[in-house]
Amino acid sequence: PEAEEVAYEGLSASGWARAKRMLRSYDITLEPPVSRISADDAAFYFRQVLLEDGFSEADVTYDFQGRTVVFQVSQGSRHMISQVSIEGADAISGSVRREIVESAMRRETLTPFGPIPFFEEAAALASRDLAVALAQAGYLDATVAFDVESIGDRRHVTFVANPGLRYVTSEVHVSG
């Protein structure tokens, strides 16, 4: 079945308008008729957008009620990063470490200024970027993990690097 109308619960009118604008970036318009596939895609991507905005408990479901598809949105609390610590990555200068982590998290959450919302995938991306920077410094087996401490709606994120051995090239021979 396809829906001829779209309704929503749990968001203000302006919040829903913003959600529809964000969904357009995924080529989802929610213009009737709305199929189950379109509703499912919209719920999935809208939840992703909420997660990226720091609503780590977000849930978006939908239900076809006759000719109407009703989206139920539960944002939950918004969690912001209040502290970032980086341990074990001393091969990279402190300012560069911070820049790597902050740029990865801002890029993933689309937050160019101000407080950064907590999004687990953004922290994972920052871990990967720190490991790449350590590999570029010669620590080819480097691993970086992160831990999150929750204090109310704030998140303290600690990145822990295990650089391993540093590899250096002592001699290069080219032939042929």
Side-chain angles (χ1 to χ4, degrees):
E2 293 185 330
E4 295 299 322
E5 295 180 29
V6 177
Y8 55 90
E9 298 171 354
L11 279 180
S12 65
S14 63
W16 184 247
R18 180 176 174 259
K20 286 176 65 176
R21 281 192 308 275
M22 288 184 281
L23 289 172
R24 273 192 227 114
S25 68
Y26 295 103
D27 292 327
I28 300 170
T29 62
L30 291 180
E31 296 299 323
V34 178
S35 68
R36 287 200 181 276
I37 293 172
S38 294
D40 197 56
D41 287 349
F44 174 82
Y45 286 112
F46 185 48
R47 180 173 183 271
Q48 285 302 113
V49 168
L50 289 170
L51 291 173
E52 292 168 9
D53 276 351
F55 295 99
S56 59
E57 301 159 355
D59 189 37
V60 179
T61 59
Y62 64 92
D63 185 32
F64 279 83
Q65 299 174 359
R67 297 173 41 107
T68 303
V69 60
V70 180
F71 288 89
Q72 296 92 16
V73 180
S74 173
Q75 291 179 228
S77 299
R78 189 172 193 201
H79 302 145
M80 304 300 282
I81 295 174
S82 60
Q83 181 178 333
V84 174
S85 303
I86 305 167
E87 301 171 359
D90 297 334
I92 307 167
S93 75
S95 62
V96 172
R97 285 191 307 249
R98 279 223 171 275
E99 186 176 317
I100 289 169
V101 168
E102 187 172 319
S103 67
M105 295 184 82
R106 287 191 183 284
R107 183 175 67 241
E108 190 68 12
T109 60
L110 304 175
T111 309
F113 308 105
I116 302 173
F118 176 72
F119 179 45
E120 191 164 338
E121 283 82 356
L125 179 65
S127 292
R128 189 203 71 201
D129 288 358
L130 273 174
V132 167
L134 285 165
Q136 291 171 345
Y139 298 91
L140 303 179
D141 299 322
T143 59
V144 179
F146 67 92
D147 184 53
V148 180
E149 180 183 358
S150 300
I151 301 172
D153 63 349
R154 300 289 174 194
R155 300 295 180 259
H156 293 191
V157 183
T158 302
F159 294 90
V160 180
N162 180 7
L165 297 174
R166 183 169 188 220
Y167 293 86
V168 295
T169 302
S170 62
E171 202 172 309
V172 175
H173 295 279
V174 179
S175 62

